[in-house]
Structures are given as C-alpha cells and as structure tokens.
Amino acid sequence: GENVEQHPSTLSVQEGDSAVIKCTYSDSASNYFPWYKQELGKGPQLIIDIRSNVGEKKDQRIAVTLNKTAKHFSLHITETQPEDSAVYFCAATGFMNRDDKIIFGKGTRLHILP
Amino acid sequence: NAGVTQTPKFRVLKTGQSMTLLCAQDMNHEYMYWYRQDPGMGLRLIHYSVGEGTTAKGEVPDGYNVSRLKKQNFLLGLESAAPSQTSVYFCATRILSRTEAFFGQGTRLTVV
C-alpha cells in the first residue's frame, strides 16, 4: 500500500522568510497530491494540490512542486506570515481509482517567529 | 448547510466499554473516511467507504468497525475500548468527481 514520508516534523522560520516541506510517496499509482493545513482545534483544510501530469502549481504565496520520477513533492510558502503557523500535512491518493484511499504524511508543525 | 458534523465532540470511556462515533454529511458526497490523529503520527486511515453499503479497511483498522447504511452517515464503532484508542478522531468526505476532502471538527476520545 501507499506510504507517505514527510519532513521535517517541526520547522521554525522568521516571519518574511520562506518555508519548504518535503514529502515522498511509494505507490506509482498515486496521481493526486494535496496539502492540508490544520489550525489548532480544527480539522485539516485543503490549501493546494497537484496532479501527476503537472510539475508545479502556484497560488499566491504557496506553491507545490512534483517530481514524479523521484516520487517527491514539496510545499513552498514564501513571505511567511504569523497566520501561516499551523500543522501541514501532505497526502497521496489515486484519484478516480476505485480504491482511492487518501494517505497522509505525519505532519509538519510550522512556527513563524516574529 | 452544516458540511461534516461529528458527534460527540468529547468522550471519556472506561476500558472495555463500547461506543459509536457518528459522522453526518449533508453534501451528498460518495466517499467518507475515518482517521485518527495522534502526536507524531499524523492522520492514519482507519476505515473508509466509497459508497452506501460499502466499507474497506485502511491503515489501522484493528479494534474498530464501521457501517455506512445511509449515504449521509458513516459510523465508527469501538466494541471494547482500550487505552491505545485514546486519540482525536476525524471524519472526512469527498465527492467522486472532485479531489478535495472536507473534514469534520474532530472527536476527542479518552479511554481510561
């Protein structure tokens, strides 16, 4: 089955700097890679995603890159702000496969330092 | 439009007791998932369902059972609770044709 590794587990960056979180996946059948943000006391919410036929996707200050050959994908947050402090999860799934479980990484706790 | 509602929000159980967690959605989504979240372990899939009347095992199914008798409800049962099942449980739903999953607010369960 699918296995998703996520690094680092904790990340502290100065406000205004960039943050990068990296994930690897194991199942070649996975074709959809979402990123979720979880604020304290809440359920995770989707912030950006990428499909396997795309190498990079951007949405304002956040971007995701995918290297399908190496089975790596990364989340990039630029010009970090205090409200970016949260736990971030990467995930992998086989979208539109009958058995498309969503498997998550272990999460990265991001601290934005003033 | 409530989205995804989990009941209860908090619960304390004694070892050996049973309980059922309810996930209710009003979005007509086909897919429903149950996850548990533990410190340092992320979100681990317990069971999931791709449609009414169907369920499947996830990464950590032991000690749990599920049922999806109605499309809008996904029940997670603990027949004989153990302290190792102390966790925060999240339900998520997804529509077949779209990629985004929507999560409930979570149920914090403590087994003493």
Side-chain angles (χ1 to χ4, degrees):
Chain A
E2 178 63 276
N3 182 48
V4 178
E5 298 285 338
Q6 182 172 349
H7 300 280
S9 57
T10 306
L11 179 62
S12 297
V13 300
Q14 291 293 137
E15 183 179 346
D17 287 350
S18 296
V20 180
I21 302 170
K22 298 182 178 182
C23 290
T24 60
Y25 64 99
S26 62
D27 190 348
S28 300
S30 292
N31 58 9
Y32 169 64
F33 307 94
W35 286 87
Y36 285 78
K37 176 182 181 182
Q38 184 181 29
E39 296 178 339
L40 196 61
K42 297 184 178 180
Q45 279 193 301
L46 181 73
I47 55 171
I48 194 168
D49 56 24
I50 191 167
R51 299 200 189 189
S52 59
N53 58 351
V54 174
E56 183 174 358
K57 184 177 178 181
K58 236 181 164 182
D59 183 5
Q60 300 183 337
R61 294 187 299 108
I62 59 174
V64 58
T65 58
L66 171 66
N67 182 331
K68 197 177 171 185
T69 303
K71 297 182 184 171
H72 291 172
F73 58 112
S74 300
L75 177 71
H76 304 254
I77 306 175
T78 59
E79 300 172 18
T80 52
Q81 299 171 4
E83 55 264 34
D84 295 329
S85 291
V87 179
Y88 291 81
F89 293 98
C90 63
T93 186
F95 179 56
M96 294 304 283
N97 295 343
R98 183 62 184 166
D99 187 28
D100 53 356
K101 300 176 279 192
I102 306 175
I103 302 298
F104 286 85
K106 292 184 177 180
T108 297
R109 185 172 296 277
L110 176 63
H111 300 277
I112 305 301
L113 306 173
Chain B
N1 186 345
V4 183
T5 303
Q6 292 183 229
T7 310
K9 289 183 172 46
F10 303 92
R11 185 75 185 268
V12 178
L13 281 181
K14 293 183 179 178
T15 298
Q17 286 186 318
S18 64
M19 79 163 292
T20 300
L21 283 67
L22 169 64
C23 178
Q25 53 116 345
D26 60 4
M27 298 179 287
N28 204 33
H29 286 181
E30 290 86 0
Y31 290 80
M32 297 187 76
Y33 307 85
W34 274 109
Y35 290 90
R36 59 177 290 173
Q37 183 175 22
D38 304 291
M41 298 300 292
L43 292 160
R44 291 183 292 171
L45 182 63
I46 305 170
H47 287 280
Y48 65 106
S49 169
V50 301
E52 182 179 326
T54 70
T55 63
K57 294 180 180 180
E59 300 170 279
V60 289
D62 294 342
Y64 304 95
N65 57 74
V66 288
S67 65
R68 183 110 180 258
L69 298 179
K70 294 182 179 180
K71 186 177 185 179
Q72 63 267 35
N73 294 338
F74 195 27
L75 303 175
L76 178 70
L78 287 73
E79 289 186 352
S80 180
S84 60
Q85 293 177 306
T86 294
S87 188
V88 180
Y89 291 85
F90 284 99
C91 174
T93 73
R94 189 172 74 76
I95 198 167
L96 177 63
S97 58
R98 294 193 61 187
T99 50
E100 182 174 3
F102 294 86
F103 282 80
Q105 290 289 82
T107 295
R108 183 173 294 276
L109 176 65
T110 302
V111 183
V112 298

